[in-house]
Amino acid sequence: EALGLREVVWEWNEHAEKIGLFGNGRGVIAQEVLLNFPEIVSIDKFGWYLVNYGELERIIHENCLTV
């Protein structure tokens, strides 16, 4: 649990399939990221929370170097 964030795996539901997402997904829960890193979470026009994984990777990397 880097920086208090849980890595999770999920199966996309029928709503995700409508926009082309199928099978399993892997990542973090955006609402959990929002608590500590609101600057890397956005909400799209459909109300989906989006994590900027490039920025999250940078934050994790920086924190690993300072530990």
Side-chain angles (χ1 to χ4, degrees):
E1 290 191 12
L3 305 174
L5 301 174
R6 300 178 296 136
E7 181 181 20
V8 294
V9 176
W10 61 85
E11 187 171 329
W12 292 108
N13 64 21
E14 65 279 357
H15 300 293
E17 290 175 358
K18 290 178 185 175
I19 61 169
L21 299 171
F22 297 92
N24 295 323
R26 179 182 213 138
V28 293
I29 303 297
Q31 291 87 337
E32 293 177 2
V33 177
L34 191 60
L35 296 174
N36 293 308
F37 307 102
E39 69 278 9
I40 66 169
V41 178
S42 59
I43 303 173
D44 72 8
K45 65 181 180 179
F46 301 106
W48 292 60
Y49 286 76
L50 307 171
V51 175
N52 181 332
Y53 279 95
E55 282 300 304
L56 180 58
E57 183 177 335
R58 182 189 60 76
I59 290 168
I60 292 170
H61 181 72
E62 285 178 358
N63 280 278
C64 287
L65 293 177
T66 60
V67 172

